[in-house]
Amino acid sequence: MNNLVTWLRAELGRVEQIARAAGGGEWSADLSDFVEWDMVNGRRTEVGREPGARLRGTQAWVYAYPTVGAASVLENARADVLHIAAHDPAAVLRRIAADQQILDQHQPVWADACTTCGTAEEYPVPWPCQTVRLLAVGYGWEAPR
């Protein structure tokens, strides 16, 4: 089997194990506990409760500790929480299942040609086809130079 496909199948398995170890469930962002910060005379004044946000469905928290001149730190932490929740273990497992099906559909049938992307006789598409190569890039594959 091609090195790229061997690597991709191993990577899909590795990412799946990580998602399952994280509980495999859905997470959502809870931004209610973010601290509001005011800068008064160069000093930070806290307004609110905790400097972080919880990801519902897990025990994970993201904390933000703004410093003088870092007004966007809190907004960045909010964005981090929303991003993490959007890529929760359940979403990762769905993506892996879909990617495995794509990979299974793009296998060489004859003479190392992908017959999903072309035909073996009239229009051979060398395997691994571009679909498989692009799928691998999404998981961090870098083509040898």
Side-chain angles (χ1 to χ4, degrees):
M1 185 177 281
N2 183 286
N3 286 343
L4 179 145
V5 175
T6 301
W7 177 88
L8 181 55
R9 287 199 185 277
E11 188 65 13
L12 288 169
R14 184 186 73 80
V15 174
E16 181 179 12
Q17 284 181 330
I18 292 169
R20 290 196 187 287
E26 294 185 1
W27 297 351
S28 62
D30 178 356
L31 301 176
S32 63
D33 286 336
F34 264 95
V35 166
E36 296 296 328
W37 302 88
D38 286 331
M39 299 304 289
V40 179
N41 297 326
R43 298 183 65 197
R44 183 175 66 203
T45 302
E46 300 177 8
V47 180
R49 299 182 309 205
E50 295 293 323
R54 188 168 78 83
L55 289 163
R56 291 186 190 129
T58 181
Q59 296 301 313
W61 285 77
V62 175
Y63 291 95
Y65 296 102
T67 58
V68 174
S72 66
V73 172
L74 191 58
E75 281 305 311
N76 288 343
R78 283 186 175 119
D80 288 348
V81 169
L82 293 171
H83 174 77
I84 292 167
H87 299 281
D88 65 15
V92 170
L93 292 172
R94 287 190 304 271
R95 181 77 245 169
I96 288 170
D99 290 347
Q100 286 172 334
Q101 289 179 34
I102 292 169
L103 186 56
D104 289 343
Q105 289 178 358
H106 290 266
Q107 293 297 311
V109 176
W110 180 79
D112 287 336
C114 176
T115 55
T116 301
C117 294
T119 63
E121 299 86 19
E122 296 173 21
Y123 181 67
V125 174
W127 186 83
C129 61
Q130 185 169 356
T131 301
V132 171
R133 290 192 311 267
L134 291 173
L135 195 61
V137 168
Y139 285 90
W141 172 265
E142 293 182 16
R145 296 178 189 239

